[in-house]
Amino acid sequence: MKNVTSRLRPEGYQAPSRIGYRYLDDRIMLDRDGAYTLVSVPTRSWELMSPLDKRAALAQMYATLSGLPRGAAHHTRLITTEFPFNADLWAERLDERTQRHGIPAKGWPLLLADVRERINAADWPIKRVYLVVRLGDRASYDGAWGRVQRLLDQVRKPLDLDDEMPSPAEVAVWHDAADDVRDTLRGSPLRCRPVGRQEAEMLLLHLTHPGLPAPDPSAVAPQRYGPGELQALCGGEVTREPLGRIGKYQYKCLRHETVTGTSYQLWFALSVGPDEVNFPGTLWLNGTEALPFPVVQSVGFEVQELSDTRKDADRALRNIEEQFFNDEEAGVATDLTYHQKKEMVTQMKFLVDQHRTPFLRMRALFGVSATDKELLRDRARDLVRAMRESGYTMDAPPTHQKFFFYESLPGGRTRDSDYIRRVPLDYLAAGMPHISPSVGDGEGLYQGYTIGPGGQPAEPVFLDHMLYATASQLAPTEGVPGDPGGGKTVSRGLKPVWEDALRGITQIVWDPKGDYLVLKKYAEELGLNPDKVLCINIYDAEPGVLDPAAQAENPEEAAQLMRETLLRLIPDLLAGQNGSDFGDVVRQAVGAAVAEGNGTTYLMRVVEILEAWEKLPPSPTNINQERCRQFSGSPGRRFREVSGTRLGQLVFGRATRPFRIPVGYTVIFCTLGLQMPDPGKTPESMSERELLSDVIAGLMADNTWNIMATLDPAIPKAITWDEWHTSKDNPRARTLVDRIKRLGRSRNTFLRLISQSAADFDSSFVTGVWAFGTTSKEEAAKTCAFLGVEPDDDNTGVVLGLGSGEKGVCVVKDRTGKLARVKVEFIYDFVLDIFDTNPEKDPDKMARIIAEIFGDEAAAARQRIDRPKDDDAVSLEKAGTGGGPPDDDPVPTAALFERG
């Protein structure tokens, strides 16, 4: 096979002699002496974590490091750096998934291109943490006989020693070892992710081109690196130059001459620091987070075997005792150094013998770079000062600058003992280098950015709920709590629904107030096809659209749904003295209608059966017939009266045809004209209109699931339920949520619930949370509980602060449990203006849109929602819908029953 030459080797590159990489693929990296594998550690936020959670995080880090291979042959390097995020690959992958899912809208390519440009222009520094684990010495992979064979081969080919490629047999051995280490770290509490060849290339380029844009990798990745290519990948000339005085010391720095330019770099080593760290107060590897420039941190360490540590401690203790006796014989008093050394060695022996605490030998390096010497000197001064304020001292010996640079790279080994510390394992674990304000999956749509120290943008947030089921094997459900007016409907309702519509994802939106109708009104401006945005006002829908029998898949399910619908319409009869008799008669009538209907029955047939039973002659000998005659009249008359109303026709009418949603369409169901009951209101206290509206909401939940269930499970689908607090008490709505909980993954169906209180959600199945602000301390505590954090003063203060600032700021919890404050960002200002439904800016905006789409009657219902608050309007606003037309005023249920 002809060798594939990488395009990463520019002309004129001079490979540094100390970079001896020989081979690189998706699993291993080989240099002249050892084999390595790379994994990345996902970052996590420190915000909203209680002290107990922080200690648990330390325990996770400690457990992961304890599971690493031990001994000098398994040297591990912990590298922390920052990459400028490049959105090109992200956009390519997202577009590939979008094209695979369906036919995106015409505005999708333009949005994707503009988002990519915005992200690249922002130049976000993304924090990356890597573990480079040494798998072992290459000389030992096949034993002593293998060493002899390779020695003979080297004697035969003396001129090809430096360019020798590993044999397939050796590669296979190291692949097996790498898979074992990667599987262990992937299953560890840190959930480490394997690093492939392309990302390893980028890491090498980034580290060997400090402060410079790295050369662009080849568009076509080589199958295998040829002789010398890895040296060329990291090529460039490295020399030492005087930097000048910083404080009282003269410094020398490294000058990097590469094809992308010239830069300067200075390396520091941690020399003095506390021997003990107080966790979680000390995060010494995060001491550079507040600096306005990147700092590369490279910590090389090896976890020692307990037996080796014990031997070293015994040897050190003997030396100390020998020093004591020598001083005593010479008549010299022991100084403080003796007591300090003895105390440290005794403590080490105690930890090893009694607690089996692993110790490690480590050297921590910190590198800063710049394209200008003066700037580098300023940055070095700031770094030294920041670390000194944290209680740490760092040195930058001029003679070690090249050593430190080569050592800091993946696979770099320590060549001397300077600045090496032997510390307990928790010393390194307490560094927690992966702490960073980041959430999301890194692959979905751009939603905004996390908020870092000082309120500055930290990292971009990408989220795709469609990956919940496919990538995480979870039933995808999202809860969005927050006070009215905080921006939750705009930021986490309209924005993702619009983006999913652009991607061609099939959607159903439950929209009580009509806020989502702007997607239809401004479809052309938003890049959507107006014909693929269907708007249906339930109040004006066709008779029978919610026929419960038509929504069932079989006669048994039809009977159950019909019984539930009818029984919910007669709550006072069921609560009375003869409630069991009324309920039994209705159940028998439903059973009779289903039995004779051959699958084509509907509710009016049940009403006819009840009316016929009321006219039966008395039969003292047939107890069941007599009971049906006595207890069928009241429910039959009530059902007949309800069926004659406008809303009743939706339920009691016969469905002419089942409603089906075409693939890639967005259907918006509005309830303008309905009057949803206040949350927690009992059926007995509801008015006729509230009771029927509640039944309609439940049937709509069933209808929503049935519409989605008829589609191919492979098709991604999304359901958005706004004003969830108005329906959470409805049993059929709860059934919808339960179905998503059980079948959302297999059906590839995502559910988003938007409500005013975090208590409206069941946190046991929610896979994502977008918590917006509140002004209530009690509600803030509920939000903390929903997020899974301690509702202490600090955390509730964060939630309360969300409501006092600008709109669109929230706390996000992604499917992995990471938390961070996020500012939702709109790429286009005009889209935000379109979505803004604040009545204070334009009181008649939504009324005009609703009147154009649904008519004046629906617009009047919306105006009743937006009117200034009074005693009646407050109730309507909490319900999320307006009252009915003037000629259909609500009548108390009890009065209706009396009239019947």
Side-chain angles (χ1 to χ4, degrees):
M1 172 179 163
K2 184 178 179 181
N3 177 52
V4 179
T5 302
S6 170
R7 285 160 44 192
L8 289 170
R9 179 173 54 185
E11 293 293 335
Y13 254 31
Q14 175 187 346
S17 59
R18 295 184 61 90
I19 298 181
Y21 299 127
R22 295 291 187 269
Y23 178 80
L24 174 66
D25 63 21
D26 283 329
R27 285 186 278 184
I28 61 172
M29 181 179 69
L30 305 180
D31 61 14
R32 183 178 56 189
D33 301 319
Y36 310 86
T37 189
L38 279 72
V39 297
S40 66
V41 182
T43 57
R44 61 186 302 170
S45 177
W46 197 245
E47 199 169 37
L48 296 171
M49 290 181 67
S50 67
L52 183 61
D53 294 331
K54 294 176 181 178
R55 291 190 177 278
L58 168 65
Q60 292 176 356
M61 185 72 173
Y62 185 94
T64 301
L65 296 178
S66 298
L68 291 172
R70 301 187 181 187
H74 300 288
H75 191 83
T76 302
R77 183 156 297 278
L78 179 64
I79 299 176
T80 306
T81 185
E82 293 180 353
F83 277 98
F85 184 79
N86 188 293
D88 295 341
L89 183 59
W90 161 80
E92 180 181 340
R93 292 176 177 174
L94 181 59
D95 188 53
E96 179 183 349
R97 291 203 312 274
T98 299
Q99 301 294 341
R100 187 169 63 248
H101 288 160
I103 303 175
K106 60 182 180 181
W108 168 249
L110 180 61
L111 173 69
L112 187 63
D114 290 344
V115 172
R116 182 179 66 246
E117 291 179 5
R118 169 71 68 88
I119 294 173
N120 287 338
D123 195 24
W124 269 295
I126 306 299
K127 187 175 184 179
R128 303 288 181 87
V129 182
Y130 295 95
L131 277 174
V132 186
V133 183
R134 196 171 194 267
L135 303 174
D137 294 324
R138 290 185 63 189
S140 63
Y141 87 91
D142 58 356
W145 178 244
R147 294 193 195 95
V148 174
Q149 292 291 332
R150 287 194 299 278
L151 179 61
L152 294 176
D153 291 340
Q154 290 174 0
V155 171
R156 297 190 190 100
K157 300 184 301 180
L159 298 179
D160 297 332
L161 289 181
D162 289 342
D163 292 334
E164 180 188 4
M165 294 291 286
S167 66
E170 181 183 3
V171 171
V173 169
W174 295 125
H175 277 179
D176 291 340
D179 291 342
D180 292 340
V181 172
R182 288 182 169 203
D183 290 342
T184 300
L185 294 175
R186 184 190 294 113
S188 72
L190 289 184
R191 302 185 183 93
C192 296
R193 181 182 58 83
V195 172
R197 180 200 57 78
Q198 187 177 26
E199 188 173 355
E201 283 182 2
M202 291 304 300
L203 176 61
L204 292 173
L205 289 168
H206 179 68
L207 296 177
T208 55
H209 295 71
L212 294 170
D216 187 25
S218 171
V220 180
Q223 297 293 325
R224 175 169 172 160
Y225 278 96
E229 281 192 318
L230 271 172
Q231 282 98 332
L233 174 72
C234 306
E237 185 178 358
V238 181
T239 57
R240 283 192 308 160
E241 287 192 4
L243 179 62
R245 180 178 296 275
I246 301 178
K248 59 181 179 179
Y249 298 106
Q250 288 285 346
Y251 285 81
K252 286 188 177 181
C253 65
L254 297 180
R255 177 189 176 101
H256 294 265
E257 290 286 354
T258 71
V259 293
T260 58
T262 301
S263 68
Y264 302 89
Q265 187 178 39
L266 184 62
W267 282 97
F268 292 88
L270 182 66
S271 59
V272 178
D275 294 325
E276 295 183 2
V277 291
N278 298 318
F279 191 84
T282 302
L283 296 173
W284 59 275
L285 276 175
N286 278 53
T288 61
E289 289 291 301
L291 295 174
F293 52 85
V295 178
V296 176
Q297 301 168 346
S298 183
V299 182
F301 64 93
E302 59 186 54
V303 183
Q304 290 188 308
E305 297 285 358
L306 292 178
S307 59
D308 295 337
T309 306
R310 189 178 293 110
K311 291 177 183 178
D312 291 343
D314 291 338
R315 186 182 306 110
L317 190 59
R318 287 195 301 269
N319 293 336
I320 292 174
E321 295 297 336
E322 183 178 352
Q323 176 187 346
F324 173 79
F325 290 118
N326 291 338
D327 291 344
E328 189 177 34
E329 289 180 0
V332 178
T334 57
D335 57 8
L336 183 61
T337 304
Y338 162 78
H339 297 285
Q340 290 177 338
K341 290 181 179 179
K342 185 174 181 179
E343 182 181 356
M344 293 176 61
V345 173
T346 304
Q347 182 182 12
M348 184 169 67
K349 270 189 64 65
F350 177 80
L351 291 174
V352 173
D353 293 337
Q354 302 299 324
H355 297 285
R356 300 185 62 80
T357 300
F359 275 71
L360 53 84
R361 291 167 54 84
M362 56 163 277
R363 178 153 74 178
L365 304 177
F366 298 78
V368 291
S369 59
T371 55
D372 179 77
K373 278 189 178 182
E374 293 296 329
L375 180 59
L376 177 64
R377 186 161 54 248
D378 293 339
R379 290 181 174 181
R381 185 182 299 109
D382 293 341
L383 173 61
V384 171
R385 183 184 300 113
M387 294 299 291
R388 184 185 298 118
E389 290 173 354
S390 301
Y392 295 86
T393 302
M394 297 189 303
D395 293 338
T399 57
H400 284 55
Q401 286 302 303
K402 279 194 175 183
F403 295 160
F404 286 168
F405 167 65
Y406 295 123
E407 178 187 332
S408 68
L409 302 177
R413 301 296 302 275
T414 303
R415 301 299 178 182
D416 53 57
S417 60
D418 291 350
Y419 306 106
I420 291 181
R421 303 170 60 90
R422 180 190 277 113
V423 292
L425 184 60
D426 55 4
Y427 189 99
L428 177 58
M432 300 294 286
H434 56 292
I435 297 300
S436 177
S438 63
V439 292
D441 49 44
E443 299 183 37
L445 291 119
Y446 172 70
Q447 299 300 328
Y449 51 83
T450 59
I451 300 175
Q456 296 300 314
E459 295 191 12
V461 176
F462 302 94
L463 200 67
D464 186 358
H465 42 256
M466 294 305 168
L467 292 174
Y468 284 24
T470 57
S472 301
Q473 299 299 299
L474 298 172
T477 307
E478 183 177 280
V480 186
D483 282 353
K488 62 181 184 297
T489 297
V490 173
S491 301
R492 203 56 205 158
L494 281 161
K495 183 178 187 292
V497 168
W498 168 57
E499 292 169 342
D500 284 348
L502 287 172
R503 299 170 67 192
I505 292 177
T506 308
Q507 298 184 86
I508 288 180
V509 180
W510 177 260
D511 179 19
K513 298 191 299 183
D515 290 337
Y516 293 76
L517 297 180
V518 294
L519 297 174
K520 178 71 172 182
K521 167 67 176 177
Y522 301 101
E524 291 288 350
E525 292 90 331
L526 295 172
L528 301 174
N529 183 350
D531 297 334
K532 289 190 175 183
V533 181
L534 307 180
C535 301
I536 300 174
N537 191 19
I538 299 301
Y539 189 77
D540 299 325
E542 297 179 0
V545 70
L546 298 178
D547 178 8
Q551 298 185 48
E553 296 182 359
N554 51 62
E556 291 78 12
E557 186 178 347
Q560 177 186 357
L561 196 53
M562 292 168 70
R563 286 194 299 268
E564 291 183 8
T565 301
L566 294 174
L567 293 176
R568 283 185 64 81
L569 289 172
I570 53 172
D572 73 321
L573 292 181
L574 299 179
Q577 182 178 1
N578 299 316
S580 60
D581 293 318
F582 283 116
D584 183 63
V585 168
V586 172
R587 293 185 184 93
Q588 289 189 53
V590 171
V594 173
E596 72 178 20
N598 296 323
T600 60
T601 189
Y602 69 121
L603 285 184
M604 282 309 298
R605 180 55 189 152
V606 179
V607 177
E608 294 170 356
I609 292 175
L610 291 173
E611 292 173 340
W613 284 356
E614 185 183 14
K615 297 176 182 178
L616 290 173
S619 178
T621 58
N622 191 331
I623 298 177
N624 184 60
Q625 177 178 325
E626 183 63 18
R627 184 172 58 174
C628 290
R629 186 184 69 83
Q630 292 181 8
F631 297 102
S632 60
S634 293
R637 287 190 295 273
R638 294 179 186 180
F639 296 151
R640 172 66 70 176
E641 184 172 355
V642 171
S643 67
T645 64
R646 189 171 180 179
L647 293 178
Q649 280 294 305
L650 303 175
V651 181
F652 285 87
R654 181 187 289 271
T656 56
R657 63 186 184 278
F659 180 81
R660 295 291 181 262
I661 178 173
V663 175
Y665 277 57
T666 297
V667 179
I668 303 172
F669 288 110
C670 294
T671 58
L672 292 164
L674 274 64
Q675 183 177 345
M676 302 302 299
D678 291 341
K681 194 172 186 179
T682 61
E684 294 82 1
S685 60
M686 295 180 188
S687 68
E688 171 192 353
R689 193 177 194 83
E690 289 176 334
L691 190 63
L692 192 52
S693 297
D694 189 54
V695 170
I696 288 174
L699 292 174
M700 270 303 305
D702 281 286
N703 192 35
T704 298
W705 174 259
N706 292 335
I707 292 172
M708 292 302 196
T710 59
L711 297 174
D712 187 345
I715 297 173
K717 302 167 283 291
I719 301 172
T720 298
W721 196 299
D722 206 352
E723 305 292 341
W724 169 246
H725 54 278
T726 65
S727 304
K728 66 182 180 63
D729 296 327
N730 189 292
R732 302 312 303 173
R734 291 197 298 269
T735 299
L736 169 68
V737 173
D738 184 63
R739 283 173 169 171
I740 295 291
K741 179 179 179 181
R742 292 182 290 107
L743 302 173
R745 179 179 61 83
S746 60
R747 293 284 185 175
N748 204 8
T749 302
F750 166 77
L751 176 64
R752 179 185 295 108
L753 304 175
I754 303 176
S755 189
Q756 294 182 6
S757 173
D760 297 336
F761 306 101
D762 180 4
S763 60
S764 63
F765 73 93
V766 171
T767 53
V769 177
W770 292 67
F772 288 79
T774 180
T775 57
S776 166
K777 290 185 177 179
E778 180 182 356
E779 186 58 39
K782 295 178 182 178
T783 301
C784 289
F786 185 40
L787 291 168
V789 300
E790 187 71 22
D792 54 25
D793 292 341
D794 292 337
N795 292 340
T796 55
V798 171
V799 177
L800 291 171
L802 299 175
S804 60
E806 58 180 327
K807 291 184 179 181
V809 178
C810 56
V811 173
V812 176
K813 180 180 181 181
D814 61 19
R815 67 176 183 264
T816 64
K818 294 190 296 184
L819 292 151
R821 285 183 302 149
V822 171
K823 174 66 171 71
V824 178
E825 184 182 26
F826 283 80
I827 295 298
Y828 305 119
D829 292 336
F830 79 90
V831 173
L832 181 59
D833 293 336
I834 289 175
F835 290 168
D836 191 354
T837 58
N838 188 350
E840 296 180 359
K841 293 184 178 180
D842 187 353
D844 299 327
K845 174 183 176 180
M846 293 311 302
R848 293 194 303 269
I849 296 174
I850 293 171
E852 180 180 340
I853 297 176
F854 290 145
D856 294 335
E857 191 172 329
R862 173 63 191 230
Q863 286 178 328
R864 281 189 286 274
I865 298 173
D866 294 335
R867 68 187 178 187
K869 292 183 179 180
D870 53 35
D871 292 341
D872 294 331
V874 169
S875 175
L876 293 176
E877 183 176 348
K878 289 182 179 179
T881 58
D887 62 345
D888 197 8
D889 288 333
V891 179
T893 304
L896 171 66
F897 292 156
E898 291 172 4
R899 194 170 63 241

